[in-house]
Amino acid sequence: MKKNFGLALQRAQNTFNRNIDRYARTIGLTGTQMVIIQFLSAIPAKQKIYQKDIEHEFNIRKSTATNILKLLEQKDLIAKKANEHDSRLKEITLTAKAQEIQRDAAAYVGRSEAKVEQILGTQLRDEVTAALLKLDQEL
């Protein structure tokens, strides 16, 4: 049976998610929590990040983002601070505890990216990435 693109994409995503979740469990997180910490750590210190930014970056619903951020806050991995101009907006920052975890997570992500590059090569990896981003924008 010939596999279609959607099925191949789903299978690859499932494999990535399983691998990330497996590693994340070793540091007391879920894969999604770990990736959000990675995202927050990559933001310049002067840039303010809010829940809506996370919803947009990960293409997740508000309720999903709320639940993930609530758990991260309970684990003392993020802190929320009210915006000085709009108290409904809460600025999200990583705690010192999250920054320690982030170093291990960054090393894992780096190894994963290197493995993908080893399998696909730099050019194909870049082409696949560009194609997936295009699909995300146009579908």
Side-chain angles (χ1 to χ4, degrees), residues 10-137:
Q10 182 67 42
R11 288 177 57 94
Q13 184 61 42
N14 286 345
T15 299
F16 271 95
N17 287 342
R18 257 193 306 281
N19 290 338
I20 287 172
D21 281 335
R22 186 179 310 120
Y23 175 77
R25 279 193 304 275
T26 69
I27 57 175
L29 299 174
T30 66
T32 304
Q33 291 169 340
M34 186 179 88
V35 191
I36 288 175
I37 288 173
Q38 284 299 108
F39 168 72
L40 291 170
S41 72
I43 303 298
K46 293 182 181 183
Q47 185 178 340
K48 296 181 188 299
I49 295 294
Y50 302 98
Q51 178 172 324
K52 64 181 173 58
D53 299 313
I54 292 170
E55 293 165 13
H56 176 62
E57 179 68 22
F58 293 94
N59 194 20
I60 57 176
R61 292 184 177 96
K62 184 177 183 175
S63 60
T64 302
T66 298
N67 289 334
I68 293 167
L69 294 173
K70 191 181 294 185
L71 288 171
L72 288 173
E73 191 172 26
Q74 288 171 355
K75 292 180 178 191
D76 192 34
L77 296 170
I78 64 164
K80 293 180 184 176
K81 182 179 100 176
N83 180 285
E84 53 197 45
H85 302 294
D86 186 347
S87 62
R88 295 172 297 177
L89 289 175
K90 306 288 189 248
E91 182 182 346
I92 299 167
T93 57
L94 290 177
T95 64
K97 182 178 176 182
Q99 290 170 355
E100 289 176 25
I101 288 173
Q102 185 277 329
R103 285 187 276 278
D104 291 336
Y108 170 79
V109 169
R111 290 189 304 272
S112 295
E113 290 286 328
K115 180 71 172 177
V116 168
E117 188 169 335
Q118 177 188 1
I119 294 167
L120 298 179
T122 304
Q123 182 178 350
L124 182 54
R125 181 209 56 205
D126 292 348
E127 290 171 0
V128 169
T129 301
L132 291 172
L133 290 171
K134 182 176 182 178
L135 284 173
D136 182 46
Q137 294 294 316

Side-chain angles (χ1 to χ4, degrees), residues 1-5 7-8 11:
M1 178 173 120
K2 182 179 176 184
K3 292 186 179 172
N4 66 30
F5 177 78
L7 178 59
R11 288 177 57 94

